[in-house]
Every structure is written in structure tokens, then in C-alpha cells.
Amino acid sequence: MEKTNVMRILDQKKIPYEAFTYPHEEGVCVEGAMVAKILNQNPKQVFKTLVVIGASKRFYVFVIPVDKELDLKKSAKAVNEKSVELILVKDLLHITGYIHGGCSPIGMKKSFKTIVNQSALDFDYIFFSAGKIGYQIKMCPINLKDLLQVEFKEVTR
């Protein structure tokens, strides 16, 4: 299996993880619920990475289950912003270094405040993108806290 930057960062920090791949059409995003189905995993344990911009023009990262939607009011409150909105897909690569369908909270071009949905703590492990379409990481959510200084808050509806 090809190593992604996410895997290299986790290896360097000696953070345990498992890597998985799934079939996909080259360059085509696979919807999160389908990734969960392909990997035969509970959609509540498979997470997607979303990037928002606040009223202050700061960027924030939210990691939520694929079967949920980001609640913008809860999200704004979680990062002490008046309001937040999802960034445009066309801006994702420029801001994060990742493409749609391969965005990971680990290894972005810059470090952004990251909120992981509280529900991640209900599980021993969660899945999320390994930084490339077709690649997923399985790891303990608490280890994300050590790596990214994330906060766990309820931000979905």
C-alpha cells in the first residue's frame, strides 16, 4: 500500500493506526456513507472532514460522522465565532492541500483549530480520510487530541 502524508506523520509521531483502501474511480470522490458500506463499518464510526470559514475570516476544521450534517450554529459557538459557513469545494485544495473526498484533519498545509464531534469518544476507534481518495485511517480518537490539540464537542444535527 502506498503511504500517504497522513501515514508518514502518524509513523513519525509513533501514533498507532491501521490503513485501509477501497476501490474508486480515479479522482472521483466517494460519498462517506458508501465508504462506510464498502469498509463494512458503522457509519457512526466513519468520519468526514469539513472546513469552514468564520465571520472573522479564520478557517476551522470539523470532523463529523458521515451520517450526520454539520450544525452551523453549534459549530460557530464551538469556535467562538458569530457565524461560520462551509468553504467552497474549489477552495479546498488551496486552503488545506487536500482535494474533495481526500481531506484529512492531519497534515493540512496550515494548522487550523480542529473540532471532532463528541460522538467519536463513544468508540475505541474511528475511520477518516488518510489524505487521498481511496485511503482511510483507523485510529483511536483520543490520539487525535494528542496530535492536533483537537477539542471534542457536539456540532452535528
Side-chain angles (χ1 to χ4, degrees):
M1 177 186 304
E2 175 187 339
K3 288 255 183 190
T4 66
N5 284 339
V6 173
M7 293 175 207
R8 285 189 276 279
I9 290 167
L10 292 170
D11 288 343
Q12 178 187 17
K13 302 284 185 182
K14 296 184 178 11
I15 295 174
Y17 70 92
E18 285 182 65
F20 293 82
T21 61
Y22 57 89
H24 66 287
E25 190 178 328
E26 191 59 40
V28 177
C29 173
V30 178
E31 198 260 329
M34 182 56 69
V35 172
K37 186 175 181 176
I38 292 168
L39 295 176
N40 198 27
Q41 294 298 319
N42 177 352
K44 294 179 182 343
Q45 280 181 272
V46 180
F47 284 62
K48 57 188 171 185
T49 304
L50 303 173
V51 181
V52 303
I53 186 166
S56 68
K57 302 298 180 206
R58 287 192 184 103
F59 295 104
Y60 302 95
V61 176
F62 289 89
V63 184
I64 67 170
V66 297
D67 66 345
K68 297 283 187 179
E69 287 183 39
L70 188 65
D71 183 309
L72 296 178
K73 286 187 178 186
K74 288 180 186 175
S75 300
K77 186 177 179 184
V79 295
N80 298 316
E81 284 278 359
K82 186 175 179 178
S83 64
V84 297
E85 62 184 48
L86 288 166
I87 65 166
L88 299 174
V89 172
K90 69 178 182 67
D91 296 331
L92 188 65
L93 180 62
H94 172 71
I95 294 164
T96 67
Y98 289 123
I99 62 168
H100 180 62
C103 188
S104 179
I106 299 171
M108 289 190 178
K109 283 175 29 173
K110 292 182 181 175
S111 183
F112 301 113
K113 181 171 186 157
T114 302
I115 307 294
V116 176
N117 199 66
Q118 182 75 29
S119 65
L121 297 176
D122 295 341
F123 303 104
D124 293 334
Y125 60 87
I126 61 170
F127 288 80
F128 56 89
S129 176
K132 187 174 180 182
I133 297 173
Y135 291 77
Q136 290 277 301
I137 291 293
K138 173 185 172 183
M139 67 180 275
C140 174
I142 293 295
N143 289 341
L144 276 174
K145 187 172 178 73
D146 298 334
L147 180 66
L148 300 174
Q149 308 299 306
V150 303
E151 294 178 33
F152 293 91
K153 296 183 180 183
E154 182 52 57
V155 292
T156 64
R157 55 182 161 129

